[in-house]
Amino acid sequence: MRDTVIKTLIELGKKDKDIELITGDLGFGVLKPFWETLPNQFINAGIAEQNMTGVAAGLALEGKKVFTYSIGNFPTLRCLEQIRNDCAYHNANVNIICVGGGYVYGSLGMSHHATEDIACLRALPDVTVICPGDPLEAKLATEVIAHTDGTTYLRLGRGGEKVVNNSIKKFTIGKAYKIRDAKDMPNKIAIFSTGAILEETSKACDILEEQGIAAEQYSFPTVKPIDKGVISDCAKRFDYIFTVEEHNIQGGFGSAIAEVLCECEGIAKLHRIGINDFYCIEVGSQSYLREQVGINAEGIVDKVKGVIGE
Amino acid sequence: MTSKQLAWLIRRHGVEMTHLSGGSHIGAILSVADIMGVLYTDILKFDVNNPEWDGRDRFILSKGHAGASVYAAIAENGFFDTEELKTHYQNGSRLSGHVSHHLPGIDFSTGSLGHGLPVAAGRALAGKQNGVNFRSFVVMGDGECNEGSVWEAAEFANHYKLDNLVAIVDYNHMQSLDYCNNTLEVEMIKRWRGFGWNIIEVNGHDHGELKSALINTSNSENKPTVVIANTVKGKGISFMEMDILWHYRFPHEGWEYNCAVNELHKVKPEGVIDPYTPNGCPETIAQPENCRHTVSETYNPTYYTREVESK
């Protein structure tokens, strides 16, 4: 996903010299193609994220289309006030790229788990929050946000995610994309996910389908603004809506769905699948930690079956 | 308008605005008044008819709590009617206590300290990349220099040789609760020198020194420039000078307001008309003798380091 985004940025940057990439001294082996191709549009701001974000705001106020880059919580929580006051409040075209949403850097420890970032960024007015589910969504989102005014948070996974979406004709900020239809089965279930947990969610849907439990599946690359249309439609058509996120269930994607769901007509009952409001003290890879907290494919299947009583 | 006239008007507006609103920070407004007076007459390039003119110098008042000083400076320059200054802090006003960019002539909001220098550095960098010939100015407080983000930006600006960036530190030696050196001991000049900047130290109330420091900040090593402007907090009103109480206290109705206005009238430059009290205030209310509640000499915060030293 991250390589796709950088590749996309290079193509955009070649056509538009106002596109600029600033890193907080991270991106070894990832950003090299960018700085080699577009050396005059690349800045290493050093290990200083508050300044990086303030500088990005200053550049954007002078007409640049800026992307800041770092990993985990460094480009967001470390400089949250700069994002709020300097970028969002001034409608600056600053796009914050986080590599490592969720447990990507699992073994590195709690400092590197980005598991509350969606909630924090979602709380800021005039900040768009995009968590692409696969490389296709990531590419299309990057192309759109580069030329969209205002401040955007682009939360990526790592490298090597599979493409899940068959095709997306037109990427629109705020729109959810249907991954699969529910077959004509007795259980009425919709499953929503945001971010790179899409792959696990799809796997879970495959398993459920094999067991005769079909679900309509959506990927929500945009958490803010959220696709109210899909939510209210599903609220009427399904008995259950499950949300899946590699993030704390407090304040994140599931909460965003709940906010809409509780104010619209419908029958669907919501169940949020995510990290159940704790810091992970266990050591292990992303897939190990996903399994530990129950957000891998099998964990999602168990949760769904437990709720619907199968 | 001369810089002296503008600086005087900034002080007079500052007294009125904080008096009317019960607003804080008159000490900081008075200490920065001469810097702002010089900037907005003899230094900054701007076009009052085209506030977003591309060739304008960029300006950020990073010590946003002295917002009244920039509001007064731009109103006196014709960006909006000076009458509006009276709405400072009021319901429905455009003039928030800390600097707001929802006004013509101001394009960056501040209030949380340590934000101005990084943004000013970003603008200076964009100016170089775009080949636009402006300077990026930022006025900071000395207390503000406690913020780590200031030093992140200081490193950055020196590394990228942003010689179109000019920082001015209003070095009044006091911050919110106490003198700077009682709060976090600092050697201001040494610190900036350590970050490789071009340093000019001036008397921040001497307009000649400020002008000669600011008129041309280019230097052979392409370094960003910091002007360390030594100032007096509360400058121009004797009972507010160097008294930490006046960081927050406002001039109350009665002798505080009258004496403040009358002290300013004693040094009013030729050609300036006081928009509020053209002839000063009647001297009917003098400063009472032994008035203790408007000074902070009895104010003794206990600090850990002092306790350690005294043992």
Side-chain angles (χ1 to χ4, degrees), chain A residues 222-244:
Chain A
T222 317
V223 175
K224 185 178 182 179
I226 197 95
D227 191 336
K228 292 182 181 172
V230 164
I231 301 167
S232 63
D233 173 52
C234 289
K236 290 176 204 128
R237 291 195 293 119
F238 297 97
D239 295 330
Y240 301 99
I241 293 174
F242 291 87
T243 58
V244 186

Side-chain angles (χ1 to χ4, degrees), chain A residues 185-191 204 207-209 211-215 238-242 268-271 273 300-310:
Chain A
M185 297 221 192
N187 320 98
K188 301 237 176 267
I189 302 170
I191 301 185
I207 298 169
L208 287 167
E209 213 172 286
Q211 299 179 7
I213 306 164
F238 297 97
D239 295 330
Y240 301 99
I241 293 174
F242 291 87
K269 200 163 174 329
L270 176 70
H271 293 272
I273 302 173
I300 297 166
V301 167
D302 289 348
K303 171 84 184 193
V304 170
K305 287 167 74 178
V307 167
I308 67 171
E310 292 248 345

Side-chain angles (χ1 to χ4, degrees), chain A residues 168-187:
Chain A
I168 295 174
K169 281 196 187 120
K170 184 175 181 287
F171 184 90
T172 308
I173 292 170
K175 194 172 159 12
Y177 294 93
K178 193 191 275 186
I179 304 292
R180 76 180 77 205
D181 274 310
K183 304 268 161 44
D184 191 20
M185 297 221 192
N187 320 98

